[in-house]
Amino acid sequence: MTRQKPGMYSIAIHGGAGAVPRAALPPEREARYRAGLEAALDGGYAVLERGGSSLEAVTTAVRSLEDDPLFNAGHGAALTRDGAAELDAAVMDGQQMRAGAVASVRHVKNPIELARRVMEKSRHVLLVGAGAEEFALEERFVLVPNQYFRTAERQEQLECEQRGKRVSDLVPSSAQGTVGAVARDASGNLAAATSTGGMTNKRPGRVGDSPIIGAGTYAKNGVCAVSATGHGEYFIRAVAAHHVCAAVEYRGLTLEQAVREMLHEILPALGGDGGLIAVDNDGGLVLDFSTDGMFRGARDSSGRREIAIY
Ligand code: ASP
């Protein structure tokens, strides 16, 4: 494994990729999205700035987006075809390649916190459904009624999907609003975190790429950390996040080349689209997507700070 280089610290976040028609995003709404992204980006960056770990930074950023109803994670999650929220989340610590994830939870206010607790306090990597929530109870997490996650807007989107008769499992909706973060701290440790409500109108029990280590989330010190958004089934089949890291580690691609290959060659060949954010061993950030847009932000200790959608 490459030795860690101290110094530069950086963080990138995403709030989902997808079709973002400009007409659907009037200035007032765009401003709200930008404010949500800024709060998450600056919250995560503040952790790095005061010498905190990349793990803490990505958890902080993702928790902030989970609490923001505009994004498809935590409060404001996309709904299953039965109108319920089922949440997936994962975190990975590149330092020791530890990982924790939860899937299909219905009552955990901040799934990313539970994913981290799975990593830090259980002997497991992935807990799902009732078992994950039992663990949350034992760990004294605050559980909320499923209703907490449902917003009028997500309900409307679900009804829209269902009116469009896109109820077949073979024709899922365009994904949008999943959240994630990647970071490098001043000690050179890398981390990644992703959280989502999944895809609107999904079948109950469906699990996407976000909580699957190597598909939607991956981190390995000395190489890179990656968080994905997009149509999860394709990211799982391509083992996208791990593939990107492997391309950097074993084929010597730059992170930018590896991300580009995944988004613009490998996934499209399968029929998939979406976006990736990633950070390399030196703290260099890559944010790329094959959709119309991706809600995203990047900030580093050399003074870069940006928020973008298109
Ligand atoms: N990747 C997520 C999933 O398939 C959805 C998204 O990124 O919007 O669950």
Side-chain angles (χ1 to χ4, degrees):
M1 196 180 282
T2 323
R3 270 187 30 145
Q4 297 162 22
K5 299 181 192 167
M8 168 96 146
Y9 48 91
S10 56
I11 181 167
I13 60 166
H14 69 75
V20 194
R22 281 183 192 262
L25 209 57
E28 179 271 333
R29 199 171 155 78
E30 179 173 337
R32 281 167 54 211
Y33 270 105
R34 285 179 177 273
L37 290 167
E38 253 168 38
L41 184 68
D42 293 343
Y45 187 79
V47 171
L48 299 173
E49 207 168 27
R50 59 172 184 262
S53 68
S54 52
L55 179 64
E56 185 60 33
V58 296
T59 315
T60 300
V62 165
R63 190 179 46 226
S64 163
L65 292 165
E66 282 181 341
D67 291 340
D68 187 329
L70 286 177
F71 298 95
N72 172 17
H75 182 42
L79 303 175
T80 67
R81 69 184 192 185
D82 297 348
E86 290 188 356
L87 312 162
D88 301 339
V91 66
M92 186 155 179
D93 175 9
Q95 190 178 9
Q96 297 166 59
M97 292 180 67
R98 292 183 306 163
V102 294
S104 284
V105 294
R106 286 167 164 250
H107 303 287
V108 179
K109 184 164 178 273
N110 288 106
I112 197 64
E113 297 280 6
L114 188 61
R116 184 164 167 189
R117 194 65 63 87
V118 168
M119 176 176 89
E120 290 177 334
K121 286 197 73 181
S122 80
R123 293 178 292 119
H124 308 296
V125 168
L126 172 60
L127 293 179
V128 306
E133 290 185 326
E134 188 63 38
F135 177 66
L137 278 172
E138 283 172 22
E139 289 296 313
R140 304 194 187 288
F141 273 63
V142 178
L143 300 189
V144 294
N146 195 257
Q147 204 182 333
Y148 163 80
F149 301 106
R150 291 199 295 259
T151 60
E153 200 170 330
R154 293 294 178 199
Q155 189 66 43
E156 221 172 276
Q157 282 171 5
L158 177 64
E159 282 160 20
C160 238
E161 279 283 323
Q162 295 185 336
R163 267 202 310 276
K165 295 205 192 58
R166 294 213 283 179
V167 286
S168 157
D169 287 337
L170 293 175
V171 192
S173 71
S174 61
Q176 213 180 94
T178 287
V179 310
V182 294
R184 179 198 200 268
D185 60 35
S187 313
N189 293 313
L190 305 180
T194 314
S195 181
T196 188
M199 303 194 51
T200 301
N201 207 26
K202 68 182 179 181
R203 182 180 271 271
R206 178 266 189 188
V207 175
D209 59 313
S210 310
I212 307 296
I213 298 304
T217 308
Y218 198 72
K220 184 173 183 181
N221 266 26
V223 188
C224 63
V226 182
S227 170
T229 173
H231 192 154
E233 278 71 6
Y234 296 97
F235 285 74
I236 293 174
R237 288 161 57 194
V239 202
H242 179 263
H243 186 110
V244 166
C245 282
V248 170
E249 187 171 12
Y250 305 129
R251 287 165 56 210
L253 265 57
T254 64
L255 185 59
E256 196 176 352
Q257 289 168 335
V259 163
R260 193 183 316 131
E261 178 188 65
M262 178 54 61
L263 287 172
H264 303 288
E265 293 175 36
I266 297 172
L267 288 166
L270 300 175
D273 60 6
L276 291 166
I277 56 169
V279 60
D280 67 20
N281 185 42
D282 299 322
L285 300 170
V286 175
L287 302 89
D288 195 4
F289 50 98
S290 60
T291 44
D292 292 350
M294 176 168 77
F295 296 100
R296 62 196 186 278
R299 191 166 174 191
D300 70 28
S301 53
S302 71
R304 175 179 181 186
R305 183 177 183 276
E306 61 196 46
I307 298 285
I309 299 173
Y310 299 102

